[in-house]
Amino acid sequence: MATRVTRSGRQPSKENSDQQLKARWTTTLTKILVDLMVEQVRFGNKQKDTFNRKGWKFINDDFQKRSGLKWSLDQLKTQYDVLKRQHSIMKTLLEQMNFAFDESRGTIRASDEDWEIFIKANPEAETLRTNGCPVYKELCTIFSQTNNTNKDYDLIVKEEIVCPEPLCMIHEPSSESEKQDYGINSKKRVRRGVNQAISEAISEMAAASRHKTTAIEQINNRFSITDCVKALDEVKGIEERLYYAALDLFHKPIARETFLFLRADKRLAWLSRKCSNRSI
């Protein structure tokens, strides 16, 4: 059977072929991938159990840049599934009373006997026993956070039944004065419970607002006007009027993002079309 050759007439190197067939995940490469996934979670590009198309594109492109490896998107998604399973096992493991996680070292402390019992029921945990889980904190961010791209945040208020006193100490008031005091104290306790619930809700709203502000700042920094102007200066054949119209257009974050994602040879046509209905 004849060996298939590339368009340049050369056979693909064995090194590149092996690289594409099997991804060898080192600690460093796993950390790169996990950091990129955390970044996309914070940008709101994770929906339910996976990332959306935009999120996967960022992860795939940036992973190749940071690692220098031309691994396919399917290889990254396969590792995503592996990490998801690892997070699930870690959660189960840390629910056991005799296991403790050392976050600074990424290791798990337990006796040999406890490990043997757990691994017998969960054979995949053997890797955790040997290597620990240095990225567990990041995995919790990726797989535990609820994402909803249609809302800035979800505020869930849970009703709690407040018991004023231990059940063994509750007694029925006898005299009229005790009944009045009992009623006043009950109202005060209810009021304190309501005030506490409102305070906690306000704190959650403030935290969500800060998170949204941080995410917006990160997006603006990623697609800055400065980067757009640099790219605009590289566009060949652009007229002066269109150039200045483009600068006005770059005040919109979505326009900056689209412009920077376009291929260099498509940017002039896109600008012409976007600015055609504007007063240039």
Side-chain angles (χ1 to χ4, degrees):
M1 181 181 295
T3 303
R4 183 180 177 182
V5 296
T6 61
R7 292 184 179 180
S8 62
R10 293 179 297 177
Q11 297 182 12
S13 68
K14 185 177 185 302
E15 180 181 357
N16 290 336
S17 178
D18 291 344
Q19 187 184 79
Q20 292 297 328
L21 289 174
K22 186 175 181 180
R24 299 182 182 278
W25 288 95
T26 64
T27 302
T28 301
L29 292 176
T30 299
K31 186 66 167 64
I32 292 173
L33 179 64
V34 165
D35 287 345
L36 291 173
M37 288 181 175
V38 169
E39 186 178 87
Q40 290 310 306
V41 167
R42 291 172 178 167
F43 282 150
N45 288 329
K46 184 168 183 286
Q47 299 172 335
K48 296 182 179 179
D49 293 330
T50 188
F51 294 94
N52 57 25
R53 181 181 296 181
K54 180 179 178 180
W56 277 120
K57 177 173 173 54
F58 275 122
I59 293 170
N60 193 26
D61 292 347
D62 288 354
F63 180 82
Q64 292 185 8
K65 291 177 183 177
R66 297 187 189 183
S67 68
L69 299 172
K70 300 293 184 180
W71 287 354
S72 68
L73 180 58
D74 287 339
Q75 288 172 307
L76 303 188
K77 288 184 176 181
T78 298
Q79 183 66 3
Y80 172 87
D81 293 334
V82 171
L83 293 171
K84 183 177 182 180
R85 177 59 181 161
Q86 188 177 94
H87 173 256
S88 177
I89 296 175
M90 276 290 294
K91 284 185 61 179
T92 303
L93 185 148
L94 295 179
E95 288 172 356
Q96 313 302 312
M97 292 186 60
N98 298 328
F99 287 82
F101 181 59
D102 186 342
E103 185 175 338
S104 62
R105 298 182 179 181
T107 57
I108 305 155
R109 297 193 300 269
S111 67
D112 291 339
E113 181 181 358
D114 289 328
W115 269 117
E116 294 298 334
I117 294 173
F118 186 81
I119 291 174
K120 186 175 182 180
N122 304 272
E124 295 171 273
E126 181 67 48
T127 302
L128 295 174
R129 182 182 187 180
T130 305
N131 303 324
C133 188
V135 294
Y136 181 61
K137 182 178 180 181
E138 290 84 351
L139 295 184
C140 289
T141 299
I142 297 169
F143 298 111
S144 298
Q145 182 169 330
T146 301
N147 300 284
N148 189 334
T149 57
N150 295 323
K151 298 180 181 179
D152 293 334
Y153 53 85
D154 293 325
L155 181 60
I156 302 174
V157 179
K158 297 180 180 178
E159 294 183 358
E160 297 181 357
I161 300 176
V162 180
C163 182
E165 301 176 281
L167 292 177
C168 60
M169 298 178 63
I170 293 179
H171 61 277
E172 289 292 333
S174 56
S175 65
E176 287 297 324
S177 60
E178 285 184 356
K179 290 181 180 180
Q180 291 178 358
D181 291 340
Y182 184 82
I184 293 172
N185 291 334
S186 296
K187 291 180 180 179
K188 288 182 178 179
R189 283 191 289 268
V190 171
R191 191 180 302 114
R192 284 198 298 270
V194 172
N195 290 339
Q196 182 178 356
I198 293 174
S199 177
E200 291 176 355
I202 292 174
S203 297
E204 290 182 18
M205 292 172 66
S209 178
R210 288 194 297 271
H211 178 75
K212 179 184 176 182
T213 301
T214 301
I216 292 174
E217 289 176 353
Q218 290 174 336
I219 292 173
N220 288 337
N221 291 335
R222 189 180 183 91
F223 307 105
S224 67
I225 293 180
T226 302
D227 291 336
C228 288
V229 172
K230 289 180 180 179
L232 184 64
D233 289 338
E234 296 175 357
V235 176
K236 297 180 180 180
I238 186 170
E239 296 179 358
E240 185 175 354
R241 291 185 301 168
L242 182 57
Y243 182 95
Y244 290 111
L247 295 180
D248 292 336
L249 185 65
F250 290 156
H251 286 290
K252 297 181 179 179
I254 187 64
R256 297 200 301 269
E257 180 178 352
T258 303
F259 179 73
L260 290 176
F261 266 110
L262 287 172
R263 283 168 35 190
D265 60 337
K266 300 292 185 182
R267 289 171 176 170
L268 179 59
W270 181 81
L271 286 174
S272 299
R273 185 171 64 85
K274 292 296 291 185
C275 299
S276 60
N277 296 325
R278 296 168 60 93
S279 176
I280 302 179

